[in-house]
């Protein structure tokens, strides 16, 4: 069978799975934002960052060993997020979520805000928010020092107690927000269909949500132009990009 016909039938089968599903969960990774111009997490770091391992930079020890370097890496990524706009994939998901309240839940590993800016009313963020900052250590002052008053250095620090500001993301070796993870696990166990979009499936416990869904009887469909570590968990792998494929499934 010609490839084009195979691809058409695959999209048709996935479209039918979406139409038939009462409860849909979308688990997204950085590939979801790739067509908005935000580099994926494991793409070779560009320019200055090419010689650094993102796993090292995205860690508390990496930050403590060189706060300015890591702060600058996040500052550059923040600027990229602010300059980016939601792509056709984000918009297709948001349109569906708004047209079918309560039928689809986004669970994202991403730290950008593109699902939210596309209009999704309720996004579960497993790895935090790159645009927010919080204190590196618990504030010991009687009156909690206000992060907004931090001295604008790289990184900003507290003039009262010397605490540093850090990005409000979950670093490697840090616990995911318990309420977000618990809610995500519960939704994964209850859904009829899980779409896994733009993730290599290498980071846990987030990647484990696909197996939770599969083991609970959900259909699992991957949208990714390349192979991923979750391919053997999926019933179907659509070899295409988020912005090209998702509008075909949801519009
Ligand atoms: C924790 C925020 C424990 C920072 C990130 C088993 C169980 C539990 C933990 C572990 C475990 N095994 C190992 C661990 C430890 C570790 C881990 O998973 N390590 C891996 C790498 C081996 N996990 C942790 O440390 C987690 N914490 O477990 O804590 C604990 C318990 C109690 C008390 C204390 C501690 C924390 C993990 C969170 C790390 N933070 N982000 C930041 O962003 O700076 S993770 C980071 O990776 C991003 O959030 C990113 O989303 C995420 C996953 O990567 P992907 O999204 O998949 O991106 P990637 O580049 O890899 O792939 C992109 C994909 O897109 C590719 O497949 C590509 O083909 C595809 N693509 C490209 N273009 C497109 C596309 N797809 C569609 N369309 C396109 N256009």
């Amino acid at each position: 069978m010609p490839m084009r016909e195979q691809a058409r039938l695959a999209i048709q089968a996935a479209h039918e799975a979406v139409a038939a599903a009462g409860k849909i969960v979308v688990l997204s990774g950085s590939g979801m934002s790739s067509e908005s111009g935000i580099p994926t997490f494991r793409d070779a770091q560009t320019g200055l960052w090419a010689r650094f391992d993102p796993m090292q930079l995205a860690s508390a020890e990496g930050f403590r060993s060189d706060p300015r370097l890591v702060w600058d890496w996040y500052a550059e990524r923040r600027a990229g997020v602010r300059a980016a706009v939601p792509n056709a994939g984000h918009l297709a998901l948001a349109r569906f979520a708004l047209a079918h309240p309560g039928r689809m839940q986004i669970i994202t590993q991403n730290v950008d805000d593109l699902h939210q800016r596309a209009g999704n009313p309720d996004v579960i963020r497993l790895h935090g928010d790159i645009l927010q900052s919080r204190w590196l250590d618990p504030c010991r002052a009687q009156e909690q020092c206000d992060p907004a008053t931090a001295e604008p250095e790289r990184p900003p620090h507290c003039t009262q107690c010397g605490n540093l500001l850090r990005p409000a993301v979950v670093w490697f070796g840090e616990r995911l927000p318990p309420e977000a993870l618990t809610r995500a696990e519960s939704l994964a166990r209850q859904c009829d269909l899980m779409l896994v979009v733009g993730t290599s499936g290498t980071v846990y416990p987030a990647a484990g949500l696909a197996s939770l869904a599969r083991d609970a009887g959900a259909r699992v469909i991957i949208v990714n132009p390349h192979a991923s570590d979750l391919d053997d968990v999926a019933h179907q792998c659509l070899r295409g990009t988020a912005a090209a494929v998702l509008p075909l499934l949801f519009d």
Side-chain angles (χ1 to χ4, degrees), residues 135 139 141 143-149 158 160-161:
W135 291 126
C139 180
E143 280 289 298
Q144 293 297 296
C145 301
D146 176 3
T149 63
C158 177
Q160 306 298 319
C161 55

Side-chain angles (χ1 to χ4, degrees), residues 29-31 34-35 40-42 55 58 73-74 77 109-111 127 169-176 198-205 223-226 241-242:
S30 54
S34 171
E35 286 152 292
T40 65
F41 194 71
R42 278 163 195 78
M55 296 275 295
W73 181 54
Y74 278 94
R77 289 175 61 198
Q109 301 173 82
N110 296 344
V111 293
H127 296 157
V169 298
V170 179
W171 276 331
F172 286 97
E174 293 186 327
R175 184 195 295 270
L176 274 62
T199 182
S200 59
T202 51
V203 174
Y204 282 80
V223 176
N224 193 327
H226 306 297
T241 68

Side-chain angles (χ1 to χ4, degrees), residues 112-186:
D112 64 53
D113 61 345
L114 296 186
H115 281 303
Q116 294 84 344
R117 279 162 54 196
N120 268 290
D122 168 24
V123 177
I124 296 178
R125 299 181 125 167
L126 297 176
H127 296 157
D129 179 353
I130 198 170
L131 299 180
Q132 302 298 317
S133 298
R134 63 179 174 80
W135 291 126
L136 175 64
D137 296 308
C139 180
R140 291 185 302 276
Q142 197 64 24
E143 280 289 298
Q144 293 297 296
C145 301
D146 176 3
T149 63
E151 193 74 10
E153 291 282 311
R154 292 160 47 211
H157 66 264
C158 177
T159 51
Q160 306 298 319
C161 55
N163 210 346
L164 298 180
L165 277 188
R166 54 158 289 175
V169 298
V170 179
W171 276 331
F172 286 97
E174 293 186 327
R175 184 195 295 270
L176 274 62
E179 63 289 342
L181 183 57
T182 303
R183 193 169 161 226
E185 289 170 341
S186 166

Side-chain angles (χ1 to χ4, degrees), residues 189-249:
R189 289 197 180 92
Q190 293 166 31
C191 68
D192 307 309
L193 171 68
M194 177 178 277
L195 283 174
V196 179
V197 184
T199 182
S200 59
T202 51
V203 174
Y204 282 80
L209 294 169
S211 301
L212 274 190
R214 170 91 193 227
D215 295 349
R219 184 163 179 76
V220 177
I221 298 177
I222 283 177
V223 176
N224 193 327
H226 306 297
S228 82
D229 286 5
L230 294 176
D231 286 6
D232 57 359
V233 176
H235 295 93
Q236 189 181 8
C237 293
L238 297 176
R239 286 286 173 255
T241 68
V245 170
L246 293 177
L248 301 177
L249 304 188

